[in-house]
Amino acid sequence: MRHCEACGREYPRDRPWRCDCGHALDYTDPPAPEGEPTAFDRDAGIWAFEELLPMDERVTLGEGWTPLVDASDWDATFKLEFLHPTGSFKDRGAATVIAEAQAVGADRVLEDSSGNAGIAVASYAARAGIDAEIYVPADAKAGKRRRIERTGAEVVAVEGDRQAVTDACIGAVEGGDGYYASHAWNPAFFAGTATVAYELAAQRDWSAPDAVVTPLGHGTLFLGAYRGFRALERAGWIDDGPKLLGVQAAGASPIADARHGASERQNDLADGIQISEPARADQIRAAIEDTGGDAVAVDERATRAAHDRLAAEGFHVEPTCATATAALRSFRDRGVIAPDDDVVVPLTGRNA
């Protein structure tokens, strides 16, 4: 079953894609860690945590267990999420959302994405033998669009802003065209991204860092990490969860703007987080408050400088990913990251 935390309604797992009140849905009784942590089989990828995942099927391309590497020049540790099979952390959620689609008998999945989520969902759908239809902006990067098409998925280009793309996809879903494998709305996707917290804690001998800094659009990784760390904390597998710090693109930064005021600058370079209306904005705000975290916006100039610096150090990531390292100084200047804090930054996606 799935439920709405806003109004309490419950629904079966296969429908609808959101609550009648308009809020996102979540699993009613997701599995939780029990007993003491054991050694996990890293060769199983995220499915090493199968007992913590509410999936009845398994789909994999070898995702999970991305490396942790020292990043002393940033006073941080990087988790190399861009080393996933399709090039981003979205593989975690794509694996679980397609496994869920398989479990409910879907023969066609729909997704709206500017790039990474579309590539991931299309790839995992292909792996599972399920047809996929991916809605993208008409001006989506040609390289990412070609990668989606090469999986055999149908690509639907939509004129207009990012919301227009989502609206077109939702219209098709509500018209009965397929199962909505949304990285923003589907709770199965967030079950997958929660594995980043399980992995990170296991890699650190069951301790959490003081802070985790991620790019923040719909909050797919941000909320997944929050849910994962909270589950580990409740089970006693870690003592305390980290502060969660989100970084938005200036000009598409509703969470940061509400906390610190709107910026007059823009950041079109960080195309992966051009989200003006996050589907789970209330949950993102709650996670920030619950962890003593924060959210800031960074502009295009700062993102470009951070992107170039990462490349010069051998980290070939996409610009959206660089927003997280671009914001480190801001968080430290604000005192949100203390001088001796242990900070982890997931590098979320590679260059197309």
Side-chain angles (χ1 to χ4, degrees), residues 1-120:
M1 295 291 289
R2 295 176 298 161
H3 78 285
C4 173
E5 67 175 27
C7 72
R9 290 184 177 93
E10 289 197 344
Y11 301 91
R13 288 178 70 158
D14 61 337
R15 53 181 166 74
W17 63 273
R18 70 177 172 188
C19 181
D20 290 343
C21 76
H23 198 274
L25 298 173
D26 291 297
Y27 288 109
T28 301
D29 188 24
E34 295 180 352
E36 297 294 326
T38 59
F40 289 94
D41 178 12
R42 298 190 181 197
D43 287 342
I46 67 167
W47 300 100
F49 304 106
E50 188 170 26
E51 297 302 316
L52 307 182
L53 294 171
M55 277 67 242
D56 298 323
E57 301 285 345
R58 180 189 290 198
V59 179
T60 186
L61 286 169
E63 64 291 331
W65 294 100
T66 55
L68 284 175
V69 299
D70 179 65
S72 56
D73 288 351
W74 287 266
D75 293 323
T77 301
F78 290 160
K79 186 160 173 59
L80 306 188
E81 292 289 282
F82 66 95
L83 296 182
H84 272 111
T86 78
S88 85
F89 79 91
K90 296 282 177 52
D91 287 7
R92 296 182 183 276
T96 49
V97 81
I98 296 301
E100 182 76 343
Q102 201 170 46
V104 302
D107 57 10
R108 187 175 186 83
V109 297
L110 279 67
E111 163 70 313
D112 52 285
S113 165
S114 61
N116 288 337
I119 292 167

